[in-house]
Amino acid sequence: MSRRLVSLTLDTLEDLPRPCRQCVYWELDPVSAERACAAGDPGLEKEAWVSQTLLEWGSCGKLAYVDGMPAGFVMYAPPAYVPRSMAFPTSPVSADAALLMTANVVAAFAGGGLGRMLVQGVARDLTKRGIKAIEAFGDAKFGDADDPSGGCVAPVDFFLSVGFKTVRPHPRFPRLRLELRTALSWKSDVEYALEKLLGSMSPETLLRPVRPAPATRSTNG
Protein backbone atom coordinates (compact mmCIF):
# COMPACT_ATOMS: atom_id res chain seq x y z
CA MET A 1 0.00 0.00 0.00
CA SER A 2 1.61 3.28 -1.12
CA ARG A 3 0.86 6.54 0.66
CA ARG A 4 1.88 10.02 -0.41
CA LEU A 5 1.22 13.57 0.67
CA VAL A 6 0.80 16.47 -1.77
CA SER A 7 0.07 20.15 -1.38
CA LEU A 8 -3.35 21.55 -2.19
CA THR A 9 -3.35 23.41 -5.52
CA LEU A 10 -6.04 24.47 -7.96
CA ASP A 11 -5.44 21.14 -9.72
CA THR A 12 -5.67 18.92 -6.64
CA LEU A 13 -8.64 20.92 -5.32
CA GLU A 14 -10.84 18.67 -7.43
CA ASP A 15 -9.77 15.69 -5.31
CA LEU A 16 -11.49 17.01 -2.18
CA PRO A 17 -14.70 15.15 -1.27
CA ARG A 18 -17.51 16.83 -3.21
CA PRO A 19 -19.30 18.28 -0.14
CA CYS A 20 -15.99 19.86 0.97
CA ARG A 21 -15.18 21.08 -2.54
CA GLN A 22 -18.47 23.03 -2.49
CA CYS A 23 -18.18 24.23 1.12
CA VAL A 24 -17.19 27.79 2.04
CA TYR A 25 -17.91 27.57 5.77
CA TRP A 26 -14.39 28.65 6.70
CA GLU A 27 -13.46 30.72 3.69
CA LEU A 28 -16.27 33.31 3.98
CA ASP A 29 -17.98 35.11 6.82
CA PRO A 30 -21.41 33.67 7.75
CA VAL A 31 -23.41 36.23 5.72
CA SER A 32 -21.25 35.90 2.60
CA ALA A 33 -21.31 32.11 2.89
CA GLU A 34 -25.12 32.08 2.94
CA ARG A 35 -25.14 34.41 -0.04
CA ALA A 36 -22.76 32.18 -1.99
CA CYS A 37 -24.85 29.09 -1.27
CA ALA A 38 -28.02 30.90 -2.31
CA ALA A 39 -26.35 31.92 -5.58
CA GLY A 40 -25.92 28.24 -6.34
CA ASP A 41 -22.18 27.77 -6.87
CA PRO A 42 -20.10 28.10 -3.71
CA GLY A 43 -17.44 26.02 -5.44
CA LEU A 44 -16.38 29.10 -7.39
CA GLU A 45 -15.88 31.02 -4.14
CA LYS A 46 -13.86 28.10 -2.76
CA GLU A 47 -11.61 28.13 -5.82
CA ALA A 48 -11.18 31.90 -5.62
CA TRP A 49 -10.19 31.66 -1.95
CA VAL A 50 -7.63 28.92 -2.58
CA SER A 51 -6.20 30.86 -5.53
CA GLN A 52 -5.84 34.09 -3.55
CA THR A 53 -4.35 32.34 -0.51
CA LEU A 54 -1.83 30.45 -2.65
CA LEU A 55 -0.73 33.67 -4.34
CA GLU A 56 -0.51 35.81 -1.22
CA TRP A 57 0.55 33.35 1.47
CA GLY A 58 1.45 29.99 -0.07
CA SER A 59 0.37 26.40 0.48
CA CYS A 60 -2.87 26.17 2.46
CA GLY A 61 -3.69 22.48 2.41
CA LYS A 62 -2.41 18.91 2.18
CA LEU A 63 -4.00 15.85 0.59
CA ALA A 64 -3.15 12.24 1.36
CA TYR A 65 -3.40 9.56 -1.31
CA VAL A 66 -3.44 5.81 -0.74
CA ASP A 67 -2.64 3.76 -3.83
CA GLY A 68 -3.48 6.81 -5.92
CA MET A 69 -6.89 7.40 -4.31
CA PRO A 70 -7.67 10.60 -2.35
CA ALA A 71 -7.92 9.43 1.26
CA GLY A 72 -7.88 12.59 3.39
CA PHE A 73 -7.03 16.26 3.57
CA VAL A 74 -6.39 19.21 5.85
CA MET A 75 -6.69 22.94 5.18
CA TYR A 76 -4.89 25.69 7.07
CA ALA A 77 -4.10 29.41 6.86
CA PRO A 78 -3.40 32.45 9.01
CA PRO A 79 -6.55 33.51 10.90
CA ALA A 80 -6.66 36.76 8.88
CA TYR A 81 -7.49 34.65 5.80
CA VAL A 82 -10.27 32.77 7.59
CA PRO A 83 -13.26 35.03 8.35
CA ARG A 84 -15.11 32.28 10.22
CA SER A 85 -12.27 32.06 12.76
CA MET A 86 -13.69 35.06 14.62
CA ALA A 87 -17.16 33.54 14.96
CA PHE A 88 -16.35 31.03 17.73
CA PRO A 89 -16.88 31.54 21.46
CA THR A 90 -13.22 30.55 22.00
CA SER A 91 -11.81 32.99 19.39
CA PRO A 92 -9.36 34.45 18.60
CA VAL A 93 -6.53 32.21 17.48
CA SER A 94 -3.19 33.06 19.14
CA ALA A 95 -0.99 35.59 17.32
CA ASP A 96 1.88 33.09 16.85
CA ALA A 97 -0.26 30.32 15.32
CA ALA A 98 -1.81 29.37 12.01
CA LEU A 99 -5.33 27.94 12.00
CA LEU A 100 -5.99 24.36 10.98
CA MET A 101 -9.45 24.95 9.56
CA THR A 102 -10.65 21.44 8.91
CA ALA A 103 -9.43 17.87 8.60
CA ASN A 104 -11.03 14.84 7.04
CA VAL A 105 -10.00 11.22 6.50
CA VAL A 106 -12.18 9.04 4.27
CA ALA A 107 -13.92 6.44 6.45
CA ALA A 108 -12.43 3.50 4.52
CA PHE A 109 -8.92 4.72 5.45
CA ALA A 110 -9.59 5.79 9.05
CA GLY A 111 -7.36 4.42 11.79
CA GLY A 112 -4.32 4.01 9.58
CA GLY A 113 -2.32 7.01 10.76
CA LEU A 114 -3.29 9.31 7.87
CA GLY A 115 -4.46 12.06 10.24
CA ARG A 116 -1.07 12.11 11.93
CA MET A 117 0.66 12.05 8.54
CA LEU A 118 -1.37 15.04 7.35
CA VAL A 119 -0.73 17.07 10.50
CA GLN A 120 2.99 16.35 10.33
CA GLY A 121 2.99 17.55 6.71
CA VAL A 122 1.39 20.81 7.86
CA ALA A 123 3.96 21.11 10.67
CA ARG A 124 6.89 20.74 8.26
CA ASP A 125 5.43 23.35 5.92
CA LEU A 126 4.68 25.91 8.63
CA THR A 127 8.01 25.45 10.39
CA LYS A 128 9.78 26.51 7.19
CA ARG A 129 7.75 29.72 7.33
CA GLY A 130 8.76 30.50 10.90
CA ILE A 131 5.39 29.66 12.46
CA LYS A 132 5.56 28.06 15.92
CA ALA A 133 2.16 26.43 16.39
CA ILE A 134 -1.13 25.37 14.84
CA GLU A 135 -4.45 25.94 16.54
CA ALA A 136 -7.87 24.56 15.75
CA PHE A 137 -11.46 24.76 16.88
CA GLY A 138 -12.78 21.30 17.65
CA ASP A 139 -16.37 20.09 17.88
CA ALA A 140 -16.98 18.26 21.17
CA LYS A 141 -20.38 17.03 19.92
CA PHE A 142 -19.47 16.16 16.35
CA GLY A 143 -22.28 14.40 14.51
CA ASP A 144 -25.10 15.73 16.67
CA ALA A 145 -28.32 16.53 14.84
CA ASP A 146 -28.10 20.17 16.00
CA ASP A 147 -24.59 20.65 14.60
CA PRO A 148 -24.44 24.37 13.69
CA SER A 149 -21.32 23.88 11.54
CA GLY A 150 -22.79 21.18 9.32
CA GLY A 151 -19.83 18.92 10.08
CA CYS A 152 -17.23 21.46 8.91
CA VAL A 153 -15.55 21.60 12.32
CA ALA A 154 -13.50 18.45 12.94
CA PRO A 155 -14.12 16.40 16.10
CA VAL A 156 -12.18 17.30 19.25
CA ASP A 157 -11.16 13.64 19.52
CA PHE A 158 -9.35 13.84 16.18
CA PHE A 159 -7.21 16.76 17.31
CA LEU A 160 -6.44 15.15 20.67
CA SER A 161 -5.44 11.92 18.91
CA VAL A 162 -2.81 13.73 16.81
CA GLY A 163 -1.22 15.62 19.70
CA PHE A 164 -3.23 18.83 20.15
CA LYS A 165 -3.88 20.12 23.67
CA THR A 166 -6.86 22.18 24.79
CA VAL A 167 -5.90 25.80 25.47
CA ARG A 168 -9.38 27.26 25.87
CA PRO A 169 -12.11 24.87 27.02
CA HIS A 170 -15.73 25.12 25.88
CA PRO A 171 -18.60 22.59 26.06
CA ARG A 172 -19.00 22.63 22.28
CA PHE A 173 -16.11 24.39 20.50
CA PRO A 174 -12.87 24.30 22.52
CA ARG A 175 -9.73 25.79 20.99
CA LEU A 176 -6.78 23.42 20.77
CA ARG A 177 -3.09 23.93 20.04
CA LEU A 178 -0.14 21.90 18.79
CA GLU A 179 3.42 23.16 19.12
CA LEU A 180 5.12 22.41 15.82
CA ARG A 181 8.27 21.09 17.47
CA THR A 182 6.10 18.36 19.01
CA ALA A 183 4.80 17.22 15.63
CA LEU A 184 8.27 17.30 14.11
CA SER A 185 9.61 15.09 16.89
CA TRP A 186 7.40 12.26 15.61
CA LYS A 187 9.98 11.73 12.88
CA SER A 188 12.60 10.64 15.40
CA ASP A 189 10.11 8.15 16.82
CA VAL A 190 9.70 6.62 13.36
CA GLU A 191 13.47 6.52 12.84
CA TYR A 192 13.90 4.81 16.20
CA ALA A 193 11.38 2.14 15.26
CA LEU A 194 13.02 1.65 11.87
CA GLU A 195 16.46 1.25 13.40
CA LYS A 196 15.12 -1.26 15.89
CA LEU A 197 13.50 -3.19 13.05
CA LEU A 198 16.81 -3.28 11.18
CA GLY A 199 18.57 -4.54 14.28
CA SER A 200 20.66 -1.43 14.91
CA MET A 201 20.17 1.47 17.29
CA SER A 202 22.89 3.62 15.69
CA PRO A 203 21.90 5.98 12.84
CA GLU A 204 25.60 6.18 11.91
CA THR A 205 25.71 2.44 11.32
CA LEU A 206 22.79 2.76 8.92
CA LEU A 207 24.20 5.70 7.00
CA ARG A 208 27.95 4.99 6.91
CA PRO A 209 29.19 2.06 4.75
CA VAL A 210 31.56 -0.33 6.44
CA ARG A 211 34.96 -0.31 4.72
CA PRO A 212 37.46 -3.13 5.27
CA ALA A 213 40.68 -1.89 6.85
CA PRO A 214 43.83 -2.03 4.70
CA ALA A 215 45.56 -4.16 7.35
CA THR A 216 42.82 -6.75 7.06
CA ARG A 217 43.21 -6.93 3.28
CA SER A 218 47.01 -7.33 3.52
CA THR A 219 46.68 -10.06 6.13
CA ASN A 220 44.22 -12.00 3.98
CA GLY A 221 46.59 -11.60 1.00
Side-chain angles (χ1 to χ4, degrees):
M1 182 180 291
S2 66
R3 307 197 302 179
R4 64 188 178 98
L5 206 61
V6 304
S7 294
L8 178 68
T9 64
L10 292 178
D11 294 328
T12 57
L13 181 62
E14 296 304 321
D15 285 340
L16 295 186
R18 183 160 183 79
C20 302
R21 171 67 179 85
Q22 299 292 319
C23 176
V24 287
Y25 176 86
W26 290 100
E27 293 81 0
L28 300 176
D29 64 81
V31 174
S32 298
E34 286 184 16
R35 211 174 279 150
C37 292
D41 197 356
L44 289 176
E45 296 288 349
K46 181 93 165 190
E47 185 173 332
W49 183 90
V50 170
S51 178
Q52 180 182 3
T53 306
L54 285 171
L55 286 170
E56 295 180 359
W57 185 66
S59 179
C60 55
K62 298 287 181 187
L63 290 93
Y65 294 82
V66 175
D67 292 338
M69 295 181 59
F73 76 96
V74 290
M75 293 186 68
Y76 55 96
Y81 282 80
V82 190
R84 180 73 66 163
S85 68
M86 292 305 298
F88 287 84
T90 48
S91 299
V93 172
S94 301
D96 64 346
L99 174 66
L100 198 157
M101 300 150 58
T102 190
N104 179 276
V105 174
V106 175
F109 301 103
L114 284 180
R116 199 174 177 90
M117 177 181 169
L118 285 161
V119 170
Q120 189 177 37
V122 175
R124 286 188 184 126
D125 180 37
L126 293 180
T127 298
K128 293 175 185 175
R129 305 193 213 186
I131 296 172
K132 296 182 178 180
I134 344 171
E135 293 191 356
F137 299 102
D139 188 347
K141 300 179 181 179
F142 184 82
D144 280 12
D146 65 340
D147 186 353
S149 74
C152 298
V153 181
V156 169
D157 289 347
F158 167 79
F159 292 116
L160 294 175
S161 73
V162 294
F164 281 73
K165 306 294 183 186
T166 302
V167 290
R168 190 165 176 196
H170 185 268
R172 186 67 195 254
F173 295 116
R175 178 158 50 90
L176 303 100
R177 179 180 174 97
L178 176 66
E179 302 295 333
L180 295 186
R181 64 177 180 271
T182 301
L184 293 176
S185 73
W186 298 338
K187 183 178 179 183
S188 61
D189 294 340
V190 173
E191 288 173 344
Y192 178 92
L194 179 60
E195 288 159 14
K196 190 171 183 181
L197 181 66
L198 295 175
S200 169
M201 294 309 300
S202 170
E204 292 183 357
T205 304
L206 293 173
L207 299 175
R208 192 169 56 214
V210 177
R211 298 182 179 87
T216 304
R217 287 201 299 269
S218 60
T219 301
N220 291 340

